[in-house]
């Protein structure tokens, strides 16, 4: 049943209207076949009523009035029944519908005033009126039923939309609570630990007399302070729960690469350049790739040197970060192993590619390629 209804809805309205006109005309011809007492005027008016059904959707009441002459020529005509159904389906005026039903019953109980040579006019009887009243009431009730079903479907759609909106609001409320809890944890635990690292590094920088140790302590303290600043920004964003009033802090661009390389804690050389036409999302992706690669060098290749190369190939831009083998054993540090995964996902979102793997001499290489105008 539902499949048949779906197929019916796919039929163009014009095709349906033409089919209705054809059925009404066929009904009139079959009922009047061999009947010669109907005048030419009556036939013209009945044909006009059939043709008017093509405009029943736009002018339902006018089409109903034009269909009335067909009821004078035959007992039950398709033309007025279809006109009544369309009027009832589209009108919410119950008094108008009642008047149309009564008018249809009265007209159907009469006969055409010029019925040929005899000129005999059959009087309207109560039985004929009741019969025509029932015949006119049926399509009106059916049209009202179709209208009620359409209203119920629309109401159900509105209720479902309201429920979906309520579910979305509930999910947002749950997410806001989780973000607030995460912000508290980050502020109370992570920021405390990083602050201690910064303080200890500052004390070591003042106390030590060795140049290498002093430089390492300075780097640790600088990175700790930068991490604290970024952590405070993240906490602020989390507490805001993604509200529209929250403005993101300025995102890093290619202009910040020199500062990143200088504070990386690794002997790094930056070469190459890119045009200013590189899109902002592309610049951010290039920066985050260099940041993650240099972080991995510090963690997994102590004592290694790194080379950061910016390059352009036609409408493609990219960066290659290559580091030498480590010169001393790496310390066991915790890691989520999601850094390169996140970079690869970022590259795919920008319709680019990320390649990462060891080099032939024991180092490691990360290569990002994305469109210049990626957004």
């Amino acid at each position: 049943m539902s499949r048949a209804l779906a197929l019916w809805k796919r039929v163009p309205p014009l095709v349906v209207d033409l089919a209705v006109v054809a059925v009404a005309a066929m009904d009139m011809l079959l009922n009047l076949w061999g009947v010669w007492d109907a005048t030419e005027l009556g036939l013209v008016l009945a044909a006009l009523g059939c043709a008017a059904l093509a405009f029943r959707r736009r002018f339902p009441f006018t089409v109903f009035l034009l269909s009335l002459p067909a009821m004078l020529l035959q007992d039950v005509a398709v033309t007025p029944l279809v006109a009544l159904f369309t009027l009832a389906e589209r009108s919410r005026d119950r008094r108008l519908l009642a008047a149309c039903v009564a008018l249809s019953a009265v007209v159907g109980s009469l006969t055409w005033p010029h019925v040929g040579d005899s000129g005999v006019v059959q009087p309207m009887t109560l039985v004929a009126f009741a019969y025509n009243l029932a015949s006119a009431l049926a399509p009106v009730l059916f049209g009202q039923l179709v209208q009620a079903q359409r209203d119920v479907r629309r109401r159900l759609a509105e209720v479902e939309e309201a429920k979906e909106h309520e579910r979305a609001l509930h999910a947002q409320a749950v997410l806001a609570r989780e973000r607030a809890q995460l912000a508290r944890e980050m502020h109370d635990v992570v920021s405390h630990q990083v602050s201690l690292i910064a303080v200890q590094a500052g004390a070591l920088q003042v106390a030590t007399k060795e140049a290498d140790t002093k430089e390492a302590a300075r780097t640790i303290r600088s990175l700790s302070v930068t991490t604290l600043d970024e952590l405070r920004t993240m906490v602020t964003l989390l507490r805001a729960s993604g509200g529209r009033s929250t403005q993101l802090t300025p995102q890093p661009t290619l202009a910040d690469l020199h500062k990143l390389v200088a504070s990386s804690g690794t002997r790094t050389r930056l070469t190459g350049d890119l045009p200013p036409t590189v899109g902002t999302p592309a610049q951010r992706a290039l920066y985050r790739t260099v940041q993650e690669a240099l972080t991995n060098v510090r963690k997994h290749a102590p004592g290694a040197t790194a080379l950061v190369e910016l390059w352009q190939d036609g409408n493609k831009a990219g960066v290659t970060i290559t580091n030498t083998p480590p010169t001393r054993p790496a310390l066991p540090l915790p890691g989520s192993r999601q850094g390169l995964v996140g970079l690869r996902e970022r590259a795919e979102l920008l319709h680019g590619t990320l390649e990462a793997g060891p080099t032939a001499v024991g180092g490691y290489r990360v290569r990002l390629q994305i469109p210049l105008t990626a957004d």
Side-chain angles (χ1 to χ4, degrees), residues 12-236:
L14 179 61
V15 175
V16 176
D17 292 338
L18 292 178
V20 169
V21 172
V23 171
M26 185 64 65
D27 171 72
M28 183 184 67
L29 291 177
L30 291 178
N31 279 276
L32 298 180
W33 186 266
V35 178
W36 302 101
D37 56 351
T39 63
E40 183 178 352
L41 177 60
L43 293 176
V44 170
L45 291 177
L48 179 61
C50 293
L53 291 178
F55 306 95
R56 62 193 178 92
R57 301 178 190 272
R58 297 186 60 184
F59 311 103
F61 182 69
T62 303
V63 172
F64 164 71
L65 294 179
L66 292 175
S67 68
L68 292 177
M71 301 188 68
L72 298 173
L73 298 176
Q74 56 190 106
D75 293 334
V76 180
V78 170
T79 303
L81 296 182
V82 174
L84 277 173
F85 167 77
T86 305
L87 181 62
E89 180 195 8
R90 295 177 176 270
S91 176
R92 298 184 183 275
D93 191 345
R94 300 294 177 83
R95 289 179 295 182
L96 174 63
L97 295 178
C100 291
V101 170
L103 179 62
S104 178
V106 171
V107 174
S109 302
L110 300 175
T111 56
W112 185 251
H114 305 285
V115 291
D117 298 334
S118 62
V120 178
V121 179
Q122 297 294 333
M124 181 179 69
T125 65
L126 183 60
V127 175
F129 177 77
Y131 175 77
N132 286 282
L133 184 65
S135 299
L137 188 60
V140 170
L141 294 178
F142 186 62
Q144 288 285 280
L145 177 62
V146 172
Q147 184 185 102
Q149 289 179 338
R150 186 169 58 243
D151 292 342
V152 169
R153 286 196 298 267
R154 183 166 55 249
R155 180 58 180 166
L156 289 176
E158 293 175 355
V159 171
E160 185 62 28
E161 183 179 355
K163 288 183 177 180
E164 185 65 27
H165 181 65
E166 183 179 354
R167 286 193 290 265
L169 290 178
H170 177 70
Q172 290 177 5
V174 173
L175 180 60
R177 289 196 298 269
E178 293 178 350
R179 288 164 67 101
Q181 181 180 2
L182 180 59
R184 288 193 299 269
E185 294 294 330
M186 292 178 63
H187 180 270
D188 296 341
V189 179
V190 182
S191 63
H192 175 70
Q193 300 294 338
V194 176
S195 298
L196 290 179
I197 294 174
V199 171
Q200 294 294 332
L204 179 62
Q205 183 181 0
V206 174
T208 187
K209 295 182 179 180
E210 296 182 5
D212 292 342
T213 304
K214 187 182 291 290
E215 179 62 23
R218 187 199 64 80
T219 301
I220 294 173
R221 185 176 182 277
S222 175
L223 292 175
S224 299
V225 172
T226 303
T227 302
L228 278 174
D229 290 338
E230 294 183 356
L231 183 61
R232 291 191 186 100
T233 301
M234 293 175 62
V235 169
T236 301

